[in-house]
């Protein structure tokens, strides 16, 4: 991600050769469930809801495309500061919809699914918005990978996470293996991937995979709590939030020197800008 001449965010993640638009046309035919996006310009918070309770919030092909479309929309949201990703019912997300999976069970289609989901989740991770996944039940397989594409993870007491792909005879296909190594380091990541064991909310906090446990156990209340938790971190002007996220997102994605170069550019974009001038006029003291 970087700025272009019009000071708009440009996401440089192109992904592999197969055009994602072509894959999305194929995958939208595997229907079931939906992903709902609601943006609130006043608060600067968006809510992304995974809604497929009858399949324990598994992602069908059409939901993968919905998510891709939602990320496209969020990339252009200038007033936005944060996103809460949550689902409905007792399970956070049971991974890929096995009804879709069974219809694309060959290496070519597997590569296409991985391409679509890598593109979507990498861009979700790199958005200039701060994202929180609220995990209120099991996050399994692709559901665990989805959770790693947010900046933060909050669990309810009933939240659990498990990289069960190995038990299904596969490996992480949505970029979650790479993000898990970034989050936990190679040894802990390998242990979770090799054992496929499911981690409770309290163990996830100790490991650094969860950033906290909500007081509320039930969903509408836990979503409100997650919103408040995130809002408390979004005090700065949107352009400052976007710039800070961009520094962190770039640092985790590119080599050190390149990240420093990016940081200088981001700094220069804000230096003498509206938020900076306003702060200087107010003669702020940090006592
Ligand atoms: C991309 C690669 C990956 O994601 S690999 C990981 C794939 N996911 C899985 O293997 C999860 C398999 N599901 C389970 O372990 C359980 O269903 C879990 C999620 C623990 C929920 O258990 P429980 O609450 O008791 O519900 P249940 O098993 O009775 O299921 C209710 C109905 O939902 C369905 N369901 C569940 N998971 C999926 C899935 N991933 N894809 C499609 N359908 C799924 C079940 O088959 C069941 O359907 P039905 O009511 O019997 O018609």
């Amino acid at each position: 991600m970087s700025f272009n001449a019009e000071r708009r965010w440009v996401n440089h993640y192109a992904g592999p050769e197969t055009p994602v638009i072509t894959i999305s046309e194929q995958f939208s035919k595997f229907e079931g469930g939906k992903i709902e996006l609601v943006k609130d310009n006043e608060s600067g918070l968006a809510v992304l809801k995974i809604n497929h309770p009858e399949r324990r919030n598994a992602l069908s092909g059409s939901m993968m495309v919905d998510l891709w479309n939602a990320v496209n929309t969020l990339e252009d949201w200038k007033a936005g500061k944060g996103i809460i990703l949550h689902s409905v019912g007792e399970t956070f997300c049971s991974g890929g919809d096995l009804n879709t999976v069974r219809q694309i069970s060959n290496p070519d289609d597997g590569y296409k699914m991985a391409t679509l989901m890598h593109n979507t989740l990498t861009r979700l991770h790199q958005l200039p918005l701060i994202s929180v996944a609220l995990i209120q039940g099991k996050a399994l397989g692709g559901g665990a990978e989805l959770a790693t594409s947010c900046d933060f993870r909050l669990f309810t007491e009933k939240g659990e996470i498990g990289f069960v792909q190995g038990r299904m005879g596969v490996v992480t296909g949505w970029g979650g293996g790479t993000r898990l190594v970034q989050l936990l380091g190679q040894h802990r990541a390998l242990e979770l991937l090799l054992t496929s064991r499911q981690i409770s909310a309290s163990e996830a906090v100790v490991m650094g995979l969860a950033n906290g446990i909500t007081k509320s156990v039930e969903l509408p209340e836990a979503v409100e709590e997650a919103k408040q938790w995130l809002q408390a971190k979004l005090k700065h002007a949107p352009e400052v939030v976007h710039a800070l996220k961009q520094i962190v997102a770039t640092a985790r994605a590119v080599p050190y020197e390149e990240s420093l170069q990016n940081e200088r550019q981001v700094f220069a974009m804000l230096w003498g800008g509206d938020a900076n001038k306003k702060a200087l006029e107010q003669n702020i003291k940090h006592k």
Side-chain angles (χ1 to χ4, degrees), residues 158-175:
K158 292 186 192 162
E160 281 178 68
I161 188 162
F163 293 82
V164 298
Q165 289 86 341
R167 291 180 70 190
M168 302 298 291
V170 291
V171 296
T172 48
W174 297 357

Side-chain angles (χ1 to χ4, degrees), residues 52-59 64 90-91 93-102 113 138 140-145 164-166 168 170-174 198:
H52 196 189
E54 65 277 22
R55 299 270 152 221
R56 299 302 183 261
N57 297 316
L59 294 202
M64 294 178 200
E90 300 288 315
T91 306
C93 173
S94 62
D97 183 335
L98 297 172
N99 296 334
T100 296
V101 167
R102 284 184 193 106
M113 178 186 70
K138 286 177 186 286
L140 297 178
E145 298 192 58
V164 298
Q165 289 86 341
M168 302 298 291
V170 291
V171 296
T172 48
W174 297 357
Q198 293 176 42

